[in-house]
Amino acid sequence: MSAIFGIINKSRKPLDPVIIPQIRNVLRHRAVDGMDVWTNQYIALAHFKLAMNVSELQQQVPLETEDLVITADIRLDNRHSLLQKTGAPAQCSDLVLLQHAWNKWKEACVAHLEGEFAICIWDKTRQQCFLATDHIGFRTLYYYDSPEVFIFCSEQKGVEAFKPTPARFNEVSLIEYYFRQSCPATTYDADVWNLCGGNTLILANGIMSIRKYWEPAGGRYRFKKDKDWHECLKALIYEAVSNRLNTDKPIGITLSGGLDSSAVACVLADVLQKKNKALHAFSAILPEKHHPEEDDERYYIDVIGRHCPNLIQTYITANAYGPFDGIVAAFERDETFPNVFYYMDHAILEAAKEHQVGVLYTGFGGDHWVSWKGNPVIYNLVKSGRLLGAWKLVKQFADREGKRIAAVIKREIMTQSAKRSVTTTAEAPFLQDLFFQKYSKGLSFGSVSDITAHMCDNLRNGRTGLFPALLAKRNERFCMQSAVPLLDKQIMEFMIDIPMHLFVKGGYKRSLIRHTMEGIVPPEVLWRKDKGMYSPDYISRIHKERAYIRDIANSDKHLLAFQRYLTRDGLTLNDTNRKDVAILRTNQSVIASEVLTELSQKGYIIP
């Protein structure tokens, strides 16, 4: 992975000479294995390298030909197909292969690429700039457009350092932080935008245009037998995991003991063992002294460790980190309001870096679709008139759980029906009412009933790629690449065609991933029904910070945050309050107040 940057004066006025050293300085943290800047009067393109293998280390970037200048953060998965179609040299780099794809298909080349990428191609002849992100949006690409200048970069700070307009806070980013609902293209800077997954951007004659080149569509997969669906998904998961092994450095995974991370860990360990390589696992566990109500996942983590003989386990307690330590630093790194477990993420990344990990895998995204619980499946079957199918699933749950059929019908059908008949009133006592009401009508708080439509919407608008892109950007700060195989494009397209009954087959929720991973993941983990917290002593950590939380609530330093957006009622915490939601909102409010104060001190215009 690498970072890319570009600046174009639309008036074709020559760039100020001081811009080049500024570019190198602003993004020097991304130049782990070197950097280079190509310039030509009114345009500069830069590449900041993090090499995953020897060939990438030796590669000269940006790549310049007679007609083109190419810089890209790229990993191509369909090299064999592209080599055949383009006639490119067999041993060429992904960047050179991209050049051949462009020569053959021009702007349409992105429809032929599979993998992860954020690319820039400058056409010298036409004086046009072409940008594109991969279908899902695994790699970040931010941009700024004004009548005078166009700027793009893998990091938002690279755009902000050169844009001529004042920094303006985008308050919608707070809605995104609390509810994960807003336009995925927006950022915390009102003038800087995210080029979401599946989009191309062309700058021609000073005019910017964005086009969606990929829409999620089904119809490719048709199987009559359930086992064929499971076998196909298994093959796709193996392929997605293997495709991301593009490094000669050690391989790691964040292993929680849950279904998703365990599935990826077992597949990855199997692939690596055949290559006689080890897998480093990093897992959050409880410290020796912890609250008696708290439990961790160590039992299940150890089950996976015994199952995978090439797995090297590292346990993380993050004792050196508090839940509010380094909020501003985390914000600078993530370029968004940090998630509440950022301290544990940081501790795991530090440990992975110590082991010189080159690619760090995660099971993130599995529960979005591949391991979706399937709660409304039976209800939806009844609603659509497929009563026989619903009856079979009800009976399977009753038989497996040893319950009366009436009890299962009540839980799976009547309760689901009641949920959909109740209108949920949007409430946010932790936010100022005027601010919340401004956006509340666009918020949805109901449960997902049609998983396929929901996920296709998120793939289409770019939301699915937001967190994987954040992981990629964050991991680069620790000199490693992020791998999120369960959100792979091929898997997402497969999931569109999945029959709904497979999510609850055999009387199990999340049964698709369970049956797919039979014989790969040990039974103790595969059929478990409980799930622990990612940072197991999270609640105790927050309670230990009660004095700090009170200081935030009473501090004049954070007055602006509480005048405009937050309420001090959102920072209420007492000794008996151990509810996850209340703790979560308190934590978010502390983080939001710190970030807003930092932005104000930096000179951001706060609406």
Side-chain angles (χ1 to χ4, degrees):
M1 290 181 66
S2 302
I4 62 176
F5 171 90
I7 183 168
I8 302 171
N9 275 345
K10 290 185 173 182
S11 65
R12 303 198 176 184
K13 175 183 176 182
L15 292 172
D16 189 327
V18 302
I19 283 182
I20 306 306
Q22 287 177 348
I23 293 171
R24 295 177 181 274
N25 183 58
V26 169
L27 292 166
R28 66 182 184 276
H29 59 279
R30 296 294 294 266
V32 177
D33 294 305
M35 71 176 91
D36 206 352
V37 183
W38 177 90
T39 61
N40 186 5
Q41 295 183 330
Y42 65 94
I43 178 173
L45 302 177
H47 190 104
F48 302 84
K49 187 186 296 183
L50 172 61
M52 288 291 104
N53 48 57
V54 174
S55 61
E56 288 184 5
L57 189 63
Q58 297 171 342
Q59 183 173 281
Q60 184 67 37
V61 282
L63 171 67
E64 183 179 9
T65 69
E66 183 179 352
D67 303 318
L68 306 171
V69 180
I70 304 175
T71 184
D73 177 11
I74 188 168
R75 189 204 75 237
L76 295 175
D77 294 337
N78 60 331
R79 285 182 54 88
H80 180 72
S81 172
L82 289 172
L83 289 170
Q84 287 184 323
K85 293 177 180 178
T86 65
Q91 301 303 318
C92 71
S93 66
D94 283 349
L95 202 64
V96 172
L97 190 50
L98 171 62
Q99 172 208 339
H100 282 262
W102 175 269
N103 290 339
K104 183 175 180 64
W105 296 297
K106 294 296 187 287
E107 288 86 352
C109 70
V110 289
H112 299 269
L113 307 179
E114 298 285 349
E116 300 182 10
F117 53 83
I119 64 179
C120 167
I121 300 177
W122 174 251
D123 190 315
K124 298 178 185 178
T125 304
R126 293 188 290 176
Q127 296 288 285
Q128 290 185 7
C129 181
F130 175 82
L131 304 178
T133 50
D134 65 73
H135 305 75
I136 305 300
F138 287 108
R139 310 288 174 97
T140 55
L141 197 59
Y142 300 98
Y143 66 91
Y144 166 87
D145 185 49
S146 74
E148 298 81 24
V149 66
F150 177 80
I151 310 168
F152 70 86
C153 188
S154 298
E155 291 196 5
Q156 191 170 330
K157 60 178 62 65
V159 177
E160 292 180 322
F162 297 95
K163 74 183 185 76
T165 53
R168 298 186 300 127
F169 174 64
N170 182 8
E171 65 182 21
V172 176
S173 61
L174 271 173
I175 298 297
E176 173 66 25
Y177 180 53
Y178 280 100
F179 306 110
R180 297 291 181 254
Q181 298 183 58
S182 69
C183 172
T186 60
T187 71
Y188 69 84
D189 188 314
D191 299 316
V192 179
W193 298 81
N194 173 34
L195 187 64
C196 293
N199 283 289
T200 62
L201 184 155
I202 296 177
L203 183 71
N205 299 317
I207 299 173
M208 184 191 76
S209 60
I210 295 177
R211 181 180 68 86
K212 186 74 176 173
Y213 72 84
W214 178 72
E215 295 281 347
R220 180 178 174 184
Y221 299 92
R222 295 179 183 275
F223 301 110
K224 291 183 179 180
K225 297 180 180 179
D226 291 353
K227 69 176 182 178
D228 292 335
W229 287 101
H230 296 138
E231 287 300 314
C232 185
L233 178 56
K234 183 195 302 181
L236 289 173
I237 292 175
Y238 263 87
E239 183 179 8
V241 167
S242 299
N243 282 340
R244 287 157 173 79
L245 287 171
N246 60 326
T247 184
D248 47 23
K249 300 177 181 180
I251 303 298
I253 185 170
T254 54
L255 175 61
S256 70
L259 270 177
D260 300 328
S261 67
S262 296
V264 174
C266 290
V267 170
L268 183 55
D270 183 32
V271 172
L272 289 174
Q273 189 172 25
K274 292 172 182 176
K275 299 174 183 287
N276 197 30
K277 293 184 177 180
L279 172 60
H280 295 266
F282 303 91
S283 304
I285 63 168
L286 286 166
E288 291 185 6
K289 296 180 180 179
H290 59 85
H291 193 280
E293 292 182 13
E294 292 171 334
D295 197 7
D296 61 21
E297 299 279 83
R298 186 158 184 164
Y299 169 79
Y300 298 107
I301 294 166
D302 289 345
V303 168
I304 299 299
R306 291 190 294 271
H307 180 76
C308 303
N310 59 330
L311 189 144
I312 301 172
Q313 183 65 61
T314 299
Y315 297 109
I316 310 292
T317 58
N319 284 335
Y321 301 94
F324 301 126
D325 289 342
I327 290 175
V328 172
F331 171 72
E332 293 286 343
R333 183 175 60 244
D334 294 352
E335 299 189 315
T336 187
F337 290 91
N339 66 67
V340 297
F341 299 124
Y342 74 89
Y343 61 91
M344 184 59 72
D345 297 335
H346 182 93
I348 287 175
L349 287 168
E350 285 280 8
K353 184 178 180 180
E354 288 178 9
H355 286 78
Q356 299 179 324
V357 166
V359 179
L360 185 65
Y361 281 73
T362 174
F364 175 82
D367 56 355
H368 286 27
W369 210 354
V370 173
S371 65
W372 181 57
K373 288 183 178 181
N375 287 336
V377 167
I378 296 176
Y379 167 78
N380 287 341
L381 288 174
V382 172
K383 190 177 179 181
S384 63
R386 290 174 286 180
L387 301 181
L388 180 58
W391 171 254
K392 289 181 179 179
L393 293 174
V394 165
K395 197 167 186 310
Q396 287 175 8
F397 272 106
D399 290 344
R400 193 191 66 78
E401 296 174 358
K403 292 184 178 180
R404 296 169 60 90
I405 287 180
V408 177
I409 290 176
K410 180 179 179 180
R411 183 187 70 199
E412 299 295 328
I413 301 176
M414 297 174 66
T415 301
Q416 290 293 325
S417 177
K419 285 182 179 180
R420 283 149 182 78
S421 64
V422 176
T423 302
T424 304
T425 303
E427 295 181 351
F430 42 89
L431 295 177
Q432 290 286 344
D433 190 59
L434 286 177
F435 169 63
F436 177 66
Q437 293 304 323
K438 187 176 178 180
Y439 298 99
S440 61
K441 291 183 179 180
L443 300 177
S444 173
F445 296 96
S447 57
V448 174
S449 57
D450 186 337
I451 187 62
T452 303
H454 174 75
M455 282 301 299
C456 283
D457 283 346
N458 285 343
L459 288 166
R460 191 176 296 111
N461 64 31
R463 174 162 296 282
T464 301
L466 290 183
F467 195 73
L470 182 151
L471 290 179
K473 184 170 54 177
R474 174 194 289 169
N475 284 19
E476 282 230 2
R477 286 298 191 97
F478 294 84
C479 305
M480 71 191 75
Q481 189 170 313
S482 173
V484 191
L486 295 184
L487 290 178
D488 185 84
K489 171 180 172 284
Q490 301 296 331
I491 294 177
M492 295 296 94
E493 290 178 329
F494 170 86
M495 294 302 299
I496 296 174
D497 295 330
I498 279 284
M500 286 296 103
H501 76 275
L502 292 180
F503 288 106
V504 291
K505 179 184 177 180
Y508 282 97
K509 298 296 175 73
R510 307 179 73 182
S511 67
L512 176 63
I513 190 70
R514 296 182 196 270
H515 286 97
T516 297
M517 289 291 109
E518 278 192 283
I520 298 171
V521 176
E524 300 99 311
V525 175
L526 191 64
W527 304 106
R528 62 176 296 195
K529 294 197 296 182
D530 58 331
K531 181 65 179 77
M533 188 175 289
Y534 170 58
S535 180
D537 59 340
Y538 166 69
I539 293 176
S540 290
R541 287 176 186 258
I542 299 299
H543 273 279
K544 291 176 182 177
E545 300 292 335
R546 287 194 300 272
Y548 178 77
I549 294 170
R550 284 195 297 268
D551 289 344
I552 291 288
N554 298 323
S555 172
D556 290 338
K557 176 183 175 183
H558 303 89
L559 188 61
L560 182 144
F562 293 103
Q563 285 179 332
R564 309 280 179 88
Y565 304 114
L566 313 177
T567 67
R568 300 186 190 279
D569 291 341
L571 295 176
T572 55
L573 198 66
N574 55 59
D575 291 333
T576 60
N577 183 1
R578 302 192 67 82
K579 293 182 179 179
D580 291 352
V581 175
I583 298 289
L584 171 68
R585 295 309 188 194
T586 296
N587 195 345
Q588 286 180 307
S589 291
V590 170
I591 291 172
S593 66
E594 291 277 25
V595 171
L596 284 166
T597 300
E598 173 68 14
L599 291 176
S600 177
Q601 292 174 346
K602 281 187 171 183
Y604 270 73
I605 299 171
I606 310 293

